[in-house]
Amino acid sequence: MIQGNLLEVKDLAVEFATPAGPLHALKGISFRVRQRSSVALVGESGSGKSVCAQAIMGLLPQIARITSGQILFHDRQKAHAPIVDLAALDTRSQAFRAIRGARISMIFQEPMTSLSPLHTIGNQVSEALRLHESLTTSEAESRCLDVLKLVRFPDPKRTFRSYPFELSGGLRQRAMIAMALICRPALLVADEPTTALDVTVQAQILGLVREMQAELGMAVLMITHDMGVVANVAEEVVVVYRGEVMESGTARDLFTAASHPYLKALMRAVPRVDADPGERLAPLVDVPREAVWAAPKPVPAMTGPLLVVEDVVKRYAIRGDTFGFGSVKAEMVTAVDRVSFSIERGECLGLVGESGCGKTTVAKMIMGAVDADEGRILFRDGSGEVDLARLGDKALVPYRRKISYVFQDPFGSLDPRMSVLEALIEPLGIHRLGTGSERRARAAELMRRVGIDPRFLNRFPHSFSGGQRQRIGIGRALILEPELVVCDEPVSALDVSTRAQVLNLLKDLQAELSLTLLFISHDLAVVNYIADRVAVMCRGRLVEIAPREALFRSPRHPYTKALLASVPHPDLGHPLDFKTIGQGQMTEPSAWPEPFHVEGAGPTPLVGLGGGHFVRAHDGAAVLA
C-alpha cells in the first residue's frame, strides 16, 4: 500500500550561466513521487526533464545552480529517517553521498558511455556496495551475482567477468539497472532508459523495471518523451515544457481527457502501428513546406525495380582467442544469410529487425562500404544494369552520386570542424560539380527545402539541435540528386516532435523528388508511417516481406508477431504483455513453432501467400491453411 510522499519537488528553479547571460532551464516546477509509485516526467528534448533529474541526484554541471525551491526526500522505508532538502545540501558532503547511489539511484540514457570500458561489469556493479556498505570482497561478489541474476542475465558469473563492449545494448542497460539496484534504493530515477533500444529489448527492460519495483518496493521516476512508454509504466504523469509544468495528473486522466494544448500536440506527434493510411503526423513546430521544386521530379520511364538484392551473404571471422596469439581456429559468423529483395522506383521499402540482425550490414553492402561474399546487388538506372557487388572502388565512384546515405547519429555524421556550408558542398567538390557560387546556391536551396534558414550556412553543427542536424544530414544526402537514398535509423535518437518533423520531411521529399528509399528501423510504428512495403529480418535472414497494410493487418511469421506485440501503444487500452515479452521466445529461431522452426543452417524457402506477401517456412501448405 502506498503511504505518503517519498519525494517532493517544490518550485524548483535552475539556471545555467552562459556567455549570453543566464539560461533558465527550470522555472519553478513542482511535483511529487509517492512511496512505491511510478511517475513519468514527459516532454521534448530541452524541456528540462534531465536537468530536474540531475538536480535530484546532485549531478548538475558546474555552470548550473539551483536558484530557488526545494527537493524534499523522506525515506519512510528507513526507520526514523528525517525529511532532507536535497537542494540545500552540499552535493560533495557525506550526507548527500550517503543518499545518492544508496537510497536514490539513477539509470542513464546511454549505457555504453555511462559504463567504464576499462572495468569489468562485476567491478562496476559492486562499486556502490563498496562505497555504502562494509562488505568483504566475497560478500560483495555474492551480492553482485544475486542482482545480476535478478535482472535476468543468462550467465551472471560470465557477465561478472565481462567488459561492457562484450555485451549487447540491451544487456548493457541491464547492467546499468543492476548497478542502480545493488543497494536496494527507495527511489529509482530512469532517464530515457530505452530510447535507442530495439522494440523487443525496450519492452523487456520496461517489464524488468516494473518487476524490480514490485519486488524491491521502490518508487520510479521515469523520464521519457515516448507516450507509449508512459502508457505502460506510469501511474501519474507530469508534462514539462521549457522548464515549466504544463499539466499533471493520473495517467488515466491525462490519456482520456488531456486538456493542455501541448500534451494534445505530443499525442498527435506519435506514430502508431494502427494509424490510418495517409494520416500525417503533427509535430509541435512543423517544417515549412516551401515549393523549392515547382513540380515533382518525373519518374524515369523505365520498367522493373531500381535495386535488386539477390542472395547476398556476408560472413565475419571471429578469432578463437582474445589477442590472436593462440592456436584456436577462427570461427566464421554469418551476419547476412541469402537475403533477397527488390525496391521499385519511387517506393519506400522498410527493413526492420532487432540490433544485430544484419540490417545495417545489408545497407553497407549496397553502398559498397562492405564487400558481399556471395550474391548480386543489381542497380538499374538509365545507363543499364550493373552488379555493384562486383565493382572495385574506382568503378563505384559514379554510382556514389546515385546512391546516398542518411546516418543514425546526426551529430557524429557531421564533422564538428566543418561549417554546414562546407559539409553540404563537400560531395559536389568530390565529384567536381558546379562552380563555387553554384555550389553555394544549391546548398542554400537545400537548406530552405529541409526547413532551415540559409543564413545559418556558416554555422557549425554544435549550433543546431538534434532534429536540425538530421535535416542537414538529409540535405547533404540529396545534394547530388541521388536516385536511391538509404536511411539507417534516421529518427531513433530524436524526440517525438522532432521525429515527426523528420518523417514528414522524408515523405514530402519522396513525393516531390520521386525518391526511392530504403528505410532501416527497429521501430515498427515509424515504418508503418513511411514505408510502402516492409521486409522483416532476424538473425541475418528475411523472415517475412509484404505490403505495409498486409503485414500490419495479418502478420504470419511468429517473429513479426513478436515485434508487433512489443510496440508500446500510447493508449491505456492496449497494454504490453510483459509476461510473454519477458520470455523472449519468439525472437529465438529455435523456439518458433512449425512450419517456421529453424534447425541448423539448412535453407528455408520464402513461401508466397499472394499479393506480394512472402513468409519463410518449411511447408507452404501449412502456412496457407
Side-chain angles (χ1 to χ4, degrees):
M1 182 177 179
I2 298 174
Q3 297 179 351
N5 294 332
L6 175 67
L7 184 79
E8 291 182 84
V9 177
K10 295 185 174 181
D11 299 319
L12 183 64
V14 174
E15 71 175 27
F16 286 70
T18 71
L23 173 66
H24 301 284
L26 295 180
K27 305 171 185 177
I29 73 169
S30 300
F31 63 91
R32 58 95 187 267
V33 180
R34 295 180 296 161
Q35 297 276 343
R36 302 171 181 262
S37 69
S38 298
V39 176
L41 198 58
V42 183
E44 299 175 278
S45 296
S47 62
K49 309 185 304 295
S50 293
V51 172
C52 184
Q54 291 169 349
I56 293 170
M57 296 298 299
L59 297 175
L60 286 171
Q62 291 184 350
I63 62 170
R65 67 186 184 95
I66 297 174
T67 56
S68 64
Q70 296 176 301
I71 305 173
L72 302 179
F73 180 63
H74 188 182
D75 191 358
R76 297 174 187 270
Q77 294 179 4
K78 197 171 182 181
H80 310 296
I83 297 177
V84 179
D85 183 4
L86 300 178
L89 274 183
D90 182 355
T91 57
R92 296 167 296 180
S93 67
Q94 185 60 40
F96 205 111
R97 290 176 179 174
I99 295 173
R100 180 174 54 213
R103 303 310 297 155
I104 305 178
S105 290
M106 188 167 180
I107 306 172
F108 295 93
Q109 180 173 356
E110 178 46 64
M112 195 59 196
T113 56
S114 303
L115 293 170
S116 169
L118 303 178
H119 298 85
T120 64
I121 296 297
N123 184 277
Q124 296 182 68
V125 172
S126 59
E127 182 180 14
L129 278 178
R130 297 192 298 272
L131 289 173
H132 296 286
E133 299 184 28
S134 300
L135 298 178
T136 64
T137 302
S138 60
E139 288 173 336
E141 180 175 344
S142 178
R143 282 272 296 274
C144 186
L145 291 174
D146 287 342
V147 77
L148 290 175
K149 184 178 180 181
L150 188 68
V151 297
R152 310 291 187 267
F153 269 99
D155 189 347
K157 289 186 177 180
R158 181 179 178 181
T159 303
F160 187 88
R161 300 188 301 270
S162 299
Y163 288 87
F165 70 87
E166 298 179 279
L167 304 180
S168 67
L171 290 180
R172 288 196 294 264
Q173 196 61 288
R174 286 172 188 259
M176 285 289 300
I177 294 173
M179 289 175 63
L181 300 182
I182 191 72
C183 292
R184 304 179 72 90
L187 174 64
L188 176 67
V189 181
D191 187 6
E192 302 275 11
T194 62
T195 294
L197 300 180
D198 295 330
V199 63
T200 52
V201 177
Q202 171 182 260
Q204 291 171 12
I205 294 298
L206 293 177
L208 179 62
V209 170
R210 281 175 47 129
E211 288 178 23
M212 297 304 99
Q213 180 182 9
E215 189 162 339
L216 302 179
M218 65 183 178
V220 174
L221 176 61
M222 178 72 71
I223 296 171
T224 184
H225 62 255
D226 191 329
M227 298 305 294
V229 170
V230 173
N232 281 277
V233 302
E235 299 166 12
E236 299 180 39
V237 183
V238 180
V239 183
V240 183
Y241 176 66
R242 294 190 177 180
E244 298 181 82
V245 175
M246 298 291 105
E247 189 169 358
S248 63
T250 66
R252 183 159 300 278
D253 289 343
L254 266 63
F255 274 93
T256 56
S259 59
H260 198 279
Y262 178 70
L263 179 55
K264 293 178 181 179
L266 276 181
M267 299 283 196
R268 291 193 299 271
V270 179
R272 307 189 314 274
V273 291
D274 57 351
D276 297 328
E279 183 178 337
R280 187 175 177 85
L281 296 177
L284 275 73
V285 180
D286 209 349
V287 179
R289 301 180 66 187
E290 299 181 23
V292 174
W293 286 276
K297 183 180 176 182
V299 180
M302 297 178 63
T303 59
L306 175 66
L307 183 79
V308 178
V309 176
E310 289 185 354
D311 292 326
V312 293
V313 175
K314 183 61 187 177
R315 302 182 185 92
Y316 291 99
I318 306 297
R319 285 189 304 212
D321 63 293
T322 305
F323 299 103
F325 300 125
S327 59
V328 181
K329 291 184 178 180
E331 178 186 356
M332 298 301 295
V333 174
T334 303
V336 177
D337 189 3
R338 304 287 173 192
V339 167
S340 300
F341 60 84
S342 62
I343 309 177
E344 299 293 329
R345 286 176 174 80
E347 179 187 40
C348 176
L349 176 70
L351 189 60
V352 302
E354 297 174 287
S355 293
C357 72
K359 306 186 303 294
T360 299
T361 303
V362 169
K364 288 180 178 178
M365 286 191 287
I366 293 171
M367 296 296 299
V370 170
D371 295 329
D373 295 326
E374 298 178 33
R376 301 196 301 169
I377 302 172
L378 305 177
F379 186 71
R380 297 170 172 171
D381 64 349
S383 60
E385 180 181 278
V386 62
D387 184 0
L388 300 178
R390 297 292 172 266
L391 296 183
D393 291 341
K394 240 181 205 182
L396 270 173
V397 171
Y399 294 95
R400 297 197 187 281
R401 287 183 56 184
K402 302 176 182 181
I403 307 175
S404 61
Y405 205 93
V406 179
F407 295 90
Q408 178 176 0
D409 182 358
F411 191 76
S413 61
L414 294 171
D415 190 332
R417 297 167 299 178
M418 295 175 69
S419 69
V420 170
L421 175 63
E422 292 170 326
L424 285 174
I425 66 174
E426 183 183 25
L428 296 174
I430 291 172
H431 292 278
R432 301 178 181 178
L433 298 174
T435 63
S437 59
E438 289 171 341
R439 293 173 186 175
R440 185 179 181 90
R442 177 64 175 159
E445 175 187 31
L446 279 170
M447 286 283 276
R448 283 193 297 271
R449 187 65 203 92
V450 298
I452 299 178
D453 194 323
R455 292 177 297 176
F456 299 159
L457 275 171
N458 292 322
R459 291 188 178 183
F460 288 83
H462 71 269
S463 304
F464 297 90
S465 67
Q468 289 174 321
R469 288 195 292 264
Q470 193 60 291
R471 295 205 290 271
I472 292 167
I474 292 170
R476 182 178 60 180
L478 298 178
I479 194 86
L480 295 173
E481 298 185 345
E483 296 184 44
L484 173 67
V485 180
V486 180
C487 303
D488 188 4
E489 301 272 13
V491 297
S492 65
L494 305 180
D495 67 42
V496 61
S497 181
T498 306
R499 181 192 307 169
Q501 293 175 12
V502 173
L503 289 175
N504 286 343
L505 174 64
L506 284 171
K507 288 196 76 167
D508 294 341
L509 291 172
Q510 183 190 9
E512 295 173 11
L513 304 179
S514 300
L515 290 176
T516 304
L517 299 179
L518 174 61
F519 192 94
I520 298 171
S521 180
H522 63 257
D523 191 330
L524 284 165
V526 168
V527 170
N528 179 48
Y529 180 68
I530 197 167
D532 300 303
R533 286 189 303 133
V534 182
V536 182
M537 282 190 72
C538 179
R539 305 293 176 91
R541 294 180 178 180
L542 279 183
V543 297
E544 190 163 5
I545 184 167
R548 176 183 56 83
E549 298 88 346
L551 187 116
F552 284 89
R553 184 178 63 250
S554 56
R556 304 304 291 270
H557 199 280
Y559 179 71
T560 308
K561 294 177 181 178
L563 288 181
L564 287 169
S566 301
V567 177
H569 290 255
D571 182 356
L572 296 178
H574 293 83
L576 290 172
D577 184 355
F578 287 113
K579 185 176 180 181
T580 302
I581 293 168
Q583 297 171 356
Q585 292 184 348
M586 288 303 98
T587 61
E588 290 292 334
S590 59
W592 294 339
E594 290 296 347
F596 308 102
H597 185 72
V598 175
E599 291 183 359
T604 306
L606 281 169
V607 177
L609 307 180
H613 194 159
F614 296 86
V615 63
R616 190 171 295 280
H618 294 289
D619 186 353
V623 178
L624 292 168

